[in-house]
Amino acid sequence: MATDCRTCPLRKWPIFDPLTEAEISFMETFKSGELAITGGATLMMEGSNSPQLFTVLEGMGLRYKTLPTGERQVINFVFPGDFLGLQAGVMSEMQHSVEATTPMRLCVFDRKSLWSLFEGHPDRAFDLTWIAAVEEHLLGESLAIIGRMSGLERIARAFVRLYERGTAQGLVKDNEMPLPYKQHDLADALGLSLVHTNKMLTRLRELGFASWQGGRLKVLDYAALCELAQLESDRAQVTRPLI
Amino acid sequence: MATDCRTCPLRKWPIFDPLTEAEISFMETFKSGELAITGGATLMMEGSNSPQLFTVLEGMGLRYKTLPTGERQVINFVFPGDFLGLQAGVMSEMQHSVEATTPMRLCVFDRKSLWSLFEGHPDRAFDLTWIAAVEEHLLGESLAIIGRMSGLERIARAFVRLYERGTAQGLVKDNEMPLPYKQHDLADALGLSLVHTNKMLTRLRELGFASWQGGRLKVLDYAALCELAQLESDRAQVTRPLI
DNA sequence: CGATCGCTTGAGCTATCTCAACCGGCGTGG
DNA sequence: CCACGCCGGTTGAGATAGCTCAAGCGATCG
C-alpha cells in the first residue's frame, strides 16, 4: 500500500494545483475528445444516461436538480478542473442536470475508459473514489449551511468558498474574480428566495464585505466575510489524501 | 468491460437485498473483526482519522456534523447494511461524526484492505465508488428537501424514505417499524427547530398520515404521505448499476 | 422602438423560531 | 420505597426572518 502522495490529475481537482505535463499526457491516453459548448447549454440532463464523462477545462456552470413542483435546487457551482458525470458513469443515470453558464471547453472521456481505469490503474481508480468522497463531504457541508445558517451567513459562506476556489484556480486578481451566475442561481443554491437573496447581497455590499455585480465578485473584507461565514480565515482546505 | 449485474455485497447496500453465502464469505476475507457498541456511543469523530471501516450488521445510528456555533446538522440516519468510514478511508479524516442511537454490531475492515480491494478486485473497488456516488446522490436530494420544502413536507419526505429503507431491511411489520431517534435528531436532520418539528409531527398524526412515538414509526396513509413528500408512491428506488 | 431579462425596492403576510412553562416516566440516591 | 432531578416530549405566546406579490428600472437585443 503506497503511502506517499503521488501526483494525480484526478486528485488535483479539489486541491486546485495546475496539472503537470506528465499528468496531462496520462489523461490524454483516456481522453476521447474535446467538447466546446455555448453558455446556457445543458450538458447533462437529470435522468439521462450520458455515455461520457468530462473534465472542465474552461468556463463555468452549475449542477441542479429540478423538483416536481418545478423549483430548482442548485447542487453546486462548476469550476474549471471539476469532474462531471461520475454518477452517470457509475450509477445508471445522472441524478442532476449540468448547465453551462458561460461557454465551456471540456475534456471528454468515454465511460468505458472508466472501467479500464479500475482494471488497470487502481491508484487512479482510488482517486475517483476520493473525488466522490470529497464531493460527498462538500454536500454534507452545504446541507449544514442551508439547514442551520441565516440568509446573510449563507451568502457569506458561499462567497468565501467560491473565492477560495477562484483563488486556487488563479481566477482572482485584485480581490476580484469572475462569477458568471445570476442572483437567481445563488438563491436556488442557498435555498433562499430571489428577493431575499437580493436584499442580503445589498446588505453585504453596504457592510463593505463583498460586492457581486456584473458577473464579478469583489471581496472587500475577507476576514469579516469569514467570520460571518463561521469559517477560519486561514482557509482550511480539504486535506490531501493519505494513500 | 462487464455489463451484467453481478452479485456484490458492497453494492447491495442501497439495494437492500440480503447477502448470499458467497458474498458473505467474500466479505469475510476482508473482515478484520466484529465490533459491538452500546447505544449512545460515538463510533467516529469528526476530524478523527479512524483506521477502520465498518459495515453495520445491526442497530441504528446517525451521522452528523457539529457547527462552530455548537449546532448540529444530522447528515443522515444509519441503518443496517450501511457502509461507514469511506471518507476516513479515502480522505485523511472523517468530516462528520457517527453515533449509535441503539446498541450496534459492526463488521470491521482495516483501511489497508481498502487498498488491496483497489489493487486486486477492481469490480469491488468499483462498487465502493458506486456507494460514494449513491451517497452523493442522496445528499443532493436532502439538499433539495431542506432547501425547498416546508416543515410538514420535509417530515413526510423523511418518513417515506425511512419507511422505504425499513421495508427493504425487513424491519417493517404491520406498517410499523423501529425508528429509535429523538425528535431532536429529526429536527437536526431537517433543519427545523425542535418545537416546530414537534408541532408538525402532531399535525401529521392528527391528519392520520403517520405517527411516530415510543421509537416506532407507524405509517397510516402511505399514499397521502407520498403526496405530501412529493414522491411517487410506487417507491422509485435507486436503480442498479450498469457495469 | 418595444420586449425581454436581470436586478432592485416596497409592503404585507406567515412559517418558523425562540423563550418559557409544564408534564410524565424513569433512574438514582437517600 | 419515596422523592428528586433529568430527559424527552408537548404546548402556548410573541417575535422575526424570509416569503410572495407587485411594481419599476436600466440594459440588451431583435
Side-chain angles (χ1 to χ4, degrees), chain A residues 53 148 184 188 206 230:
Chain A
L53 311 175
R148 293 290 154 202
H184 204 89
D188 283 349
E206 285 166 358
Q230 299 175 18

Side-chain angles (χ1 to χ4, degrees), chain B residues 166-232:
Chain B
T167 305
Q169 285 293 321
L171 299 170
V172 174
K173 201 170 289 182
D174 281 336
N175 298 325
E176 212 179 318
M177 65 177 274
L179 196 62
Y181 301 98
K182 293 180 269 185
Q183 293 189 353
H184 204 91
D185 297 328
L186 186 61
D188 283 348
L190 301 179
L192 296 172
S193 76
L194 169 61
V195 173
H196 195 59
T197 303
N198 179 292
K199 283 170 182 164
M200 293 304 106
L201 283 170
T202 322
R203 166 111 49 106
L204 226 41
R205 220 178 299 135
E206 286 167 357
L207 286 167
F209 288 6
S211 129
W212 175 37
Q213 273 163 325
R216 297 192 64 83
L217 171 65
K218 193 182 299 189
V219 171
L220 305 165
D221 188 339
Y222 188 65
L225 217 50
C226 284
E227 190 183 338
L228 242 187
Q230 300 175 18
L231 287 170
E232 304 299 326

Side-chain angles (χ1 to χ4, degrees), chain A residues 127-214:
Chain A
D127 294 334
L128 262 190
T129 308
W130 186 72
I131 285 182
V134 170
E135 202 69 70
E136 187 190 331
H137 156 56
L138 294 174
L139 284 184
E141 191 178 298
S142 300
L143 210 53
I145 294 172
I146 293 191
R148 293 290 154 202
M149 294 170 69
S150 77
L152 196 65
E153 291 166 341
R154 291 184 217 183
I155 293 182
R157 179 77 156 225
F159 278 178
V160 171
R161 285 298 188 212
L162 291 167
Y163 192 71
E164 283 173 357
R165 295 181 71 184
T167 305
Q169 286 293 322
L171 299 170
V172 174
K173 202 170 288 182
D174 282 334
N175 298 325
E176 211 178 319
M177 64 178 275
L179 195 62
Y181 299 99
K182 293 180 268 184
Q183 294 189 354
H184 204 89
D185 297 328
L186 186 62
D188 283 349
L190 299 179
L192 297 172
S193 74
L194 168 61
V195 173
H196 198 243
T197 302
N198 179 292
K199 282 170 182 165
M200 293 302 106
L201 282 171
T202 319
R203 166 113 46 109
L204 226 41
R205 221 178 298 135
E206 285 166 358
L207 285 169
F209 289 5
S211 130
W212 174 38
Q213 273 163 325

